[in-house]
Amino acid sequence: SAYLGSVGKALSLATGFGLNALKSHTTGNNNAALGENALYSTANGYRNTAVGGGGTLYNNVSGFNNSAVGSLALYESTGHYNSALGSYAGYSLTTGDYSTFLGHGAGNNASQLVGATNSTAVGALAYTTAHHQIVLGNANVTAVLTSGALTVPSGHATNDWQMGSATVDTNITVNGVSQITRLGLGTA
């Protein structure tokens, strides 16, 4: 193990490079920090990777299995199994687990659910507002395209579809089988 930075102390199973990287480290293992203040508050967290200046994974005291790449990515996070790629990605997440933020500022918004679990925000400034949610793009995105089909596996709820803010409660039948019982399109 090695530690290179302003404190200059050797740590067990941790590698830090940069001013105050792993500054508060005591017993955690298998941590890697590259950049100023990366993993600054980590005392006993383990298997975390932080790459970026300004405080990537700064407040994660005891979290584990987090990966953050980008200046201030996952700055406030104290959770586990989170991933962020991009400057300020996941910045607003505090206690959430199993969440992913891809793109500049993804997850950095006052409306971001700070304890989001199993949520994903993809695209610059995209953010999640609920657990178990996937958000593609921010409010300026005008189309989401795919060259293939969007499929819901059998055994999963397929009854509610929402596009816009209006909702119509009805049964829609395809080939004699009720497929959708609630459909929303456009604005009310």
Side-chain angles (χ1 to χ4, degrees), residues 1 25 30 38 46 49 56-57 59 64 66 72 77 101-102 127 140 142 165 173 176 178:
S1 299
H25 186 276
N30 296 313
Y46 54 93
T49 302
T56 304
L57 273 167
N59 284 323
F64 51 88
N66 295 293
L72 301 167
S77 176
F101 302 94
L102 302 174
Y127 60 92
N140 296 318
T142 59
S165 60
T173 303
S178 178

Side-chain angles (χ1 to χ4, degrees), residues 113-135:
L113 180 62
V114 297
T117 297
N118 191 37
S119 292
T120 301
V122 178
L125 305 176
Y127 60 92
T128 61
T129 58
H131 301 293
H132 314 292
Q133 181 183 62
I134 296 174
V135 174

Side-chain angles (χ1 to χ4, degrees), residues 37-56:
N37 295 326
L39 285 170
Y40 180 93
S41 299
T42 297
N44 56 1
Y46 54 93
R47 290 192 296 270
N48 295 298
T49 302
V51 178
T56 304

Side-chain angles (χ1 to χ4, degrees), residues 74-116:
L74 290 175
Y75 182 88
E76 298 289 349
S77 176
T78 61
H80 318 296
Y81 301 101
N82 295 304
S83 300
L85 176 62
S87 60
Y88 292 89
Y91 185 95
S92 299
L93 187 73
T94 58
T95 58
D97 301 319
Y98 301 99
S99 290
T100 304
F101 302 94
L102 302 174
H104 165 71
N108 181 25
N109 188 288
S111 295
Q112 168 65 45
L113 180 62
V114 297

